[in-house]
Amino acid sequence: MNVKYKAQTHREARASAGDFAASGRQRCPATGPDDSLLPRARPGAKRVPDVQARFGVPAQMTAKVPVSKVITAPLPARNSTGPRIRRALISVSDKTGIIEPVRALVNAGAEILSTGGTRAELERGGIAVRDIAGITGFPEMLDGRVKTLHPAIHGALLARRSDPAHMEALAARDIGPIDLLYVTLYPFEAAMAKGLEAEKIYEEVDIGGPALLRAGAKNADFVTVCSDLADLEEALAEMAAHDGATTLRLRRHLAAKAFARTAAYDGIIAGWMASQAGARLPPIAAIGGEKRLDLRYGENPHQSAALYSLGPARPGAATARLVQGKALSFNNLVDADAAFGLVAELGTIGEAAAVIVKHANPAGAAIAPGPCAAFEKALAGDPVSAFGGVAAFNLPLEAPLAAALAARFLEVVIAPGASPDALALLAAKPNLRVLLTDGLPDPAHSGLVVRSIAGGLLVQTPDLSLAPPSAWRVVTRRAPRDEELADLAFAWQVAKHVRSNAIVLARHGQTIGIGAGQMSRVDSVRLAIDKFRAISQMERLAEGSVLASDAFFPFADGLILAIEAGIRTIVQPGGSIRDAEVIAAADAADAAMVFTGERHFRH
């Protein structure tokens, strides 16, 4: 039901609040603050027809507003909506699309207050704006660093309209309440992503914006806080439905979002400052993200899930564009991230690389002169496990590769880009999700790795180290030949991305058997060999096949099993108390083995 609101003078508001207090009504602890418990206008209260008359001043006048006529309108009985929005403060770094929504605020009867560049943009759009400096009586200073940090602004946001003492304090200082706030923050994340100098990045740390959002959000019983354009549009929709007011439910929702926005923003700044100070794992971990996407479901259909972006954009699954296909699920993104991370690394040792991942483990990986050949080799590594997998590439998709992909059942394809012809061919598989990243991540630069456990977060630096062959140590009588060394480097790179215990068999830049996630290393060796035998229909591995183990062999049994299957070249970290026993087993078979000196567990 639409209700016509009545404005009050300051004296009438105090009388109304006194009646409210004398009534002895109490707020229900179970439901929290309720707009219906705020003071109401008494019969006979003056009606002020519009904003300018209500404030008693022209809209662009720079003198302070007489607060004797600036009290928020009372609520109708037991209604969940608040008072009409009479005054709005707009201060945004991103001015895209602000003219029409702010014009809608004006048409709804709101006076607009603003600062600097935002005020100039609104005035160019033909909107009457009051300058903040005219309200505070204090001009901007320090190159705009200080604009809204003033009691006349924060008092207008923080005052509780139901508290007579608060309203008397505003009246004594001629401060009028602010009912709606729309603020977007300085683009700190964008400055980081551009790789600007530290001094310039510091200048993108917003101080006044977060302070405004927090002040308005703290007073959500009375203030509507918008931290992006979508919030403002949502508020306008409610104002249209509720005679210029918003509901308490919306205000609290937007307040929670505003606090989350400032927390995430501060977390990104804290992380950057910690990295500048050389503290990768600081005493307080400030981690926050912005929801980018609601996912189809979590690991299982009965679980809900969402994707949150953290910090500056980095090419990958989290920032990729979904150009076709069904909605993404939690598992789709986990697998796409695993596949794209590996393919980006393989691209550093081969011209074209392809990876197929299933349940976060590589089913097949390969390098080749071209992407079609790389895909066919990766697929041949384990065509059974590749069914319904995620395929990743380090080069843009072209029509020949797209035709090969369309002939297979895959859940997701992720690549840096795609030609129009390739996308046209993939469109024949409308359920296939195609993710385009617009680039490859730098494998040498990554953020922290975070995983939740009950009651806490585990945080670690990423596994960026990968000792090159030149740093490996030959521990057997026979050294690997040059062609074997190239395959060892390839297998070692793949093993880093396989769940422990990890064993990778490879030959000619292609995985030919992977043993992943087994509780004992010998079982992972057995699984990798069984995979090879099932696919190749061969009992023994071909000459030149190599083996990579993500951690040392605790006993010689796993190595002996591999040697019996035909393996004669091995790369592993070393470091077992039984290394001598393992080396002796390799020497007895004239096998070549190198130690890298670093382990690559992946859990």
Side-chain angles (χ1 to χ4, degrees), residues 296-438:
R296 189 180 181 197
Y297 49 73
E299 285 188 280
N300 300 290
H302 60 270
Q303 295 173 267
S304 56
L307 168 66
Y308 290 82
S309 59
L310 301 174
R314 181 176 185 266
T319 55
R321 295 178 289 117
L322 179 66
V323 297
Q324 77 160 56
K326 294 188 294 187
L328 290 160
S329 73
F330 183 96
N331 294 339
N332 293 152
L333 286 172
V334 169
D335 286 355
D337 181 64
F340 203 62
L342 174 53
V343 87
E345 288 193 9
L346 290 179
T348 64
I349 61 174
E351 181 179 344
V355 173
I356 303 171
V357 161
K358 190 77 168 290
H359 296 302
N361 277 303
I367 54 175
C372 277
F375 173 63
E376 292 300 335
K377 288 173 69 176
L379 183 65
D382 189 350
V384 175
S385 296
F387 182 83
V390 171
F393 301 90
N394 70 324
L395 297 175
L397 306 176
E398 297 294 344
L401 176 57
L405 293 170
R408 301 288 176 176
F409 172 59
L410 297 166
E411 289 282 356
V412 180
V413 172
I414 180 169
S419 70
D421 288 344
L423 291 177
L425 287 168
L426 293 174
K429 306 276 284 194
N431 288 335
L432 173 64
R433 303 163 179 89
V434 177
L435 293 172
L436 302 182
T437 64
D438 299 323

Side-chain angles (χ1 to χ4, degrees), residues 128 138 164 336 352 381 421 474 520 533 562:
F138 204 91
D421 288 344
V474 178
S520 66
R533 288 171 174 164

Side-chain angles (χ1 to χ4, degrees), residues 97-108:
I98 65 168
I99 299 299
E100 292 311 313
V102 174
R103 196 187 311 280
L105 282 174
V106 173
N107 291 340

